[in-house]
Amino acid sequence: YMGEKKKLFIIFKKMSQILLLLSTLLFTINVFCVQNPMPAFIWSGNQNFLKVSSHEVVDSMSVSVLSDLVKFTSGQSSSVPSELEQYLSPEQQVPEIVVVFVHPELQTSQVSSYGSAFNRKSGGSFENLKTYLSEFSSLTLPYVFKTSGDRQSLVQDLEELNHVHVVDAEDAPAFVHGRSYLFSDKKANILVVKFSSSSSDLATKFHNADNLMGQILERVKKQSGGNFLAILTSNSPAKSSKTMKSIKSQIFTQSKASTKADESSSASNSSSDDTLYMTPGILSALAAILLFLIISYVGICCTFGLQTPDSFEGEGGYLSAR
C-alpha cells in the first residue's frame, strides 16, 4: 500500500511539472501571438448619422470597414458597409468634410486606461474625445483588426480616394484656416490628420494629441456649420492571429430582396473567410479553463487510483478494540 502511494505521489509531481510548463507556454502565446485590437471612434454633427444617438459595436471589425465607411459617407461609393448597415441611418446627408484623425499606434486598452473609461466626470488624456462622443451622434468600434485581406494601412487606402488631403496634425489648424473652400465647394472633402510619434510618456502624448484634435474640430465645426464626420483611429492596428477558425460562420442578414449581384457575391466571399478574432482576455480565460480541466482530470485519476486494504487486522492490530 505504501509503495502504491509513493508511486502516485511521483506521478502527481511529474504532472504538476508538466502543467507548469504548459501554463508558461500558454502565457507566452498570449503575450506574443495575440495582440491588442485598435479602437475606432466615429461621430458626426449630423444628428441623422445613426439610427440612435450613440452606440458601441462589440463585434470584431476589419480595418477595411473604416475605409469603406469613408467612401460611403463621402459619396464616393453607394455601397453601405454591411457590418455597419444596421447602425447607420438611411436619411443621412453627405457631410461637407470628413476628418480622419490617425494615431501611429493606439490600442483599445490604452484608451480605457488613459481615458478614465470608468470615470464619467473626467476623460483623462482623451477629454475632448469623451466630450464629442457624448455631444454628437457617435459610433464606437473597440475591436478593429488588420486581417490578411487588408494589404495596406488605413492612410494608404484613403490616399487612393478623390478629394483627399493628408496633413500632419501640427499643420492641420493652419491648413483648415487657410482653405475655407473645402467647406463650400459642394464636395465631400476628406481630411486625413496624422499624429506624429512622440518620445514623451503615453499620458502626455495622448493629452497633447487630444488638445490638438479639439483645436482642429472647433474650426471644422464652425466652418462646416456642424455638417461634418470625424473618425479617430490608428493607422496600423495589431494584426489578428489566426490561431482559431470560426466554428460558426458570421452571416450578415442585412441583404434585401433588391440586393445587387456584386453585393451578394462580396458577402459570400466574406462569409467564406470568417475568422474568430481573439483578445488577450479571451485567450487568458480559455487557458485558465484548460488548466483547470487538466488539474481536475489528474486529481480525479489519482483519487480513483487509490486502493484501500482488502482486510483489516483484528485483535492486537492498529484497529484493536480499546
Side-chain angles (χ1 to χ4, degrees), residues 24 42 54-55 59 67 85 90 93 108-109 124 151 155 184 218 221 230 244 249-250 261 272 276 281 294-295 309:
T24 304
I42 309 165
S54 61
H55 192 83
D59 297 332
S67 58
E85 183 178 4
Q93 58 182 352
T108 302
S109 58
R151 298 181 179 179
V155 173
S184 58
E218 285 302 319
K221 179 181 176 181
M244 298 179 64
S249 300
Q250 298 178 353
S272 62
L276 179 61
I294 294 176
I295 294 176

Side-chain angles (χ1 to χ4, degrees), residues 128-244:
N128 290 316
L129 174 62
K130 199 169 187 178
T131 301
Y132 293 140
L133 293 179
S134 60
E135 179 180 352
F136 298 104
S137 181
S138 61
L139 185 67
T140 303
L141 309 177
Y143 305 110
V144 180
F145 294 88
K146 185 176 182 180
T147 62
S148 57
D150 302 320
R151 298 181 179 179
Q152 300 184 123
S153 65
L154 178 61
V155 173
Q156 291 174 331
D157 287 339
L158 296 179
E159 286 177 340
E160 297 177 354
L161 303 180
N162 300 323
H163 314 299
V164 177
H165 309 272
V166 181
V167 296
D168 294 329
E170 293 77 9
D171 302 329
F175 181 88
V176 174
H177 180 74
R179 291 170 174 78
S180 58
Y181 66 87
L182 295 176
F183 306 92
S184 58
D185 58 359
K186 304 301 179 181
K187 299 178 182 178
N189 293 281
I190 303 173
L191 178 61
V192 181
V193 180
K194 298 190 301 180
F195 292 107
S196 60
S197 301
S198 176
S199 58
S200 59
D201 62 284
L202 291 178
T204 304
K205 172 185 175 182
F206 294 146
H207 179 73
N208 294 337
D210 184 73
N211 288 337
L212 192 55
M213 181 186 69
Q215 298 176 18
I216 299 170
L217 279 182
E218 285 302 319
R219 299 193 178 188
V220 170
K221 179 181 176 181
K222 181 179 180 180
Q223 298 192 43
S224 65
N227 187 19
F228 68 92
L229 175 70
I231 300 176
L232 175 65
T233 184
S234 176
N235 186 39
S236 300
K239 191 172 183 179
S240 61
S241 175
K242 291 190 175 182
T243 54
M244 298 179 64

